[in-house]
Amino acid sequence: MASLALSSVTATKATQPGCSPALTTSQRYPLRTVSIAYSVEASRTSLQRQNNHGHRFSSRLLWKPLAVAEKSSTVVSEMNTDEPLKVMISGAPASGKGTQCELIKKKYGLVHIAAGDLLRAEIAAGTEKGKRAKEYMEKGMLVPDEIVVMMVKERLLQADAQEKGWLLDGYPRSFSQAKALEDLGIRPDIFILLDVSEESLVERVVGRRLDPVTGKIYHLKYSPPENEEIAARLTQRFDDTEEKVKLRLQTHNQNVEAVLSIYEDITVRVDGNISKEIVFAEVDKALASVIEKKSKTSSAAMAAGLAT
């Protein structure tokens, strides 16, 4: 209230005959305006000290910084919203994508999205897209890109993915799928590729076994079953043979190179031949770097907003 009263007195005096018009704060104090705008409390304290000592104090210096501070606070609140992280991860069969996705999701809280899961969910729900996809699958044909791309798009645009960020697992798998996502304006911040040698991949796939009771995946060498009872009921997928896995790897390698042509500038290759802990340390470092860059971009945008 005291500052309001003082402003009124000063304004009245400035409009009397013979008085020059009141200058704005930026005109009178070009270098001091910003420095005092950050602290409303400091201005109030200064005013109180001046009054206590019986000195006359012009509130024009106080009132304008208050307005600047309020404006600055508004800009900060409007712009202090970091865009969530968007990640794509790719790798050949048995490259360790599933393990890394779990670790990423646990640390960063991203929404994990896999195209295969979306297809199965649509089919189970009996949606129109699910019915169309099922027709192709029952004929042993690949589901057209247009169906899968729309499923992925709709999932990425849901509220949880928009708020928390997303982790797209093993998709896109072809150039046409990647191009379709680009055309829809869907682009990740980073494309992680797990590089594993063919020799290691073949060993991992051929040694894989499934527990039909629990659905858990074991490996005869790296993750053997807990007991003989479980070991006795393990099954092997029909395509987890050396001959078939090599054909799958050949198809994967051809497709992934085409996909990388679109994401070349944001691709990070991680050696997947080492332990899952070390692999994740590399993935974690790459994600942290992306977050730091996004934060700097956000800060620069905020500074530009404050400057205007």
Side-chain angles (χ1 to χ4, degrees):
M1 292 299 292
S3 60
L4 282 171
L6 285 171
S7 294
S8 300
V9 171
T10 306
T12 301
K13 182 177 179 181
T15 56
Q16 292 177 353
C19 293
S20 59
L23 297 176
T24 64
T25 303
S26 59
Q27 290 172 322
R28 297 183 64 214
Y29 304 96
L31 298 178
R32 297 171 60 188
T33 301
V34 175
S35 65
I36 62 176
Y38 76 96
S39 176
V40 174
E41 188 62 34
S43 297
R44 290 174 178 163
T45 303
S46 177
L47 174 60
Q48 185 62 45
R49 288 175 178 171
Q50 293 284 354
N51 288 339
N52 290 343
H53 287 81
H55 296 296
R56 186 182 176 194
F57 184 83
S58 173
S59 66
R60 284 177 294 179
L61 180 58
L62 169 67
W63 184 248
K64 289 295 183 180
L66 285 174
V68 173
E70 290 170 359
K71 179 181 178 182
S72 301
S73 177
T74 302
V75 173
V76 171
S77 64
E78 289 176 352
M79 301 184 65
N80 192 22
T81 52
D82 292 334
E83 186 183 351
L85 190 61
K86 297 172 289 188
V87 181
M88 287 181 181
I89 185 168
S90 180
S95 61
K97 287 197 314 297
T99 298
Q100 294 305 314
C101 283
E102 286 299 317
L103 295 171
I104 293 170
K105 183 172 66 173
K106 182 178 180 180
K107 177 164 185 177
Y108 292 92
L110 304 180
V111 176
H112 181 209
I113 301 170
D117 293 341
L118 295 180
L119 272 173
R120 287 185 284 272
E122 294 280 352
I123 292 172
T127 65
E128 186 61 34
K129 288 190 291 293
K131 291 176 182 178
R132 290 178 60 195
K134 187 177 181 180
E135 291 175 2
Y136 286 97
M137 294 172 72
E138 287 178 342
K139 295 176 183 177
M141 302 170 64
L142 292 175
V143 180
D145 287 346
E146 62 187 59
I147 297 177
V148 184
V149 167
M150 291 312 297
M151 288 183 183
V152 172
K153 176 192 174 185
E154 290 173 5
R155 184 64 187 91
L156 292 177
L157 293 178
Q158 288 183 18
D160 59 343
Q162 290 292 302
E163 179 184 347
K164 300 177 182 179
W166 46 261
L167 170 62
L168 193 52
D169 179 2
Y171 194 88
R173 294 185 177 183
S174 66
F175 178 84
S176 60
Q177 292 172 352
K179 184 65 168 58
L181 290 178
E182 286 282 294
D183 292 342
L184 291 171
I186 298 172
R187 185 173 178 82
D189 298 309
I190 182 173
F191 186 95
I192 298 172
L193 178 64
L194 299 179
D195 271 334
V196 183
S197 67
E198 182 173 311
E199 181 182 354
S200 295
L201 290 171
V202 171
E203 182 184 27
R204 291 180 186 182
V205 172
V206 173
R208 253 185 344 199
R209 296 294 184 273
L210 169 68
D211 183 346
V213 176
T214 64
K216 183 177 179 179
I217 301 293
Y218 291 92
H219 192 280
L220 299 180
K221 179 179 179 180
Y222 301 110
S223 180
E226 294 86 350
N227 53 57
E228 290 297 326
E229 179 184 353
I230 297 176
R233 67 181 187 234
L234 295 182
T235 61
Q236 184 180 28
R237 274 177 43 168
F238 75 93
D239 55 350
D240 278 356
T241 62
E242 183 172 349
E243 180 183 0
K244 290 185 177 180
V245 74
K246 285 186 176 181
L247 290 175
R248 289 160 61 194
L249 290 177
Q250 183 179 355
T251 301
H252 165 79
N253 292 336
Q254 291 172 346
N255 287 333
V256 78
E257 289 302 322
V259 171
L260 289 178
S261 67
I262 290 183
Y263 302 119
E264 184 177 5
D265 59 326
I266 55 172
T267 295
V268 173
R269 292 177 178 267
V270 178
D271 183 1
N273 295 292
I274 47 187
S275 70
K276 63 182 181 182
E277 292 83 8
I278 300 178
V279 171
F280 180 66
E282 291 299 311
V283 170
D284 189 26
K285 182 169 68 174
L287 294 179
S289 177
V290 170
I291 291 174
E292 183 180 2
K293 289 178 182 177
K294 286 169 71 71
S295 179
K296 288 181 178 179
T297 300
S298 177
S299 298
M302 184 174 67
L306 289 173
T308 59

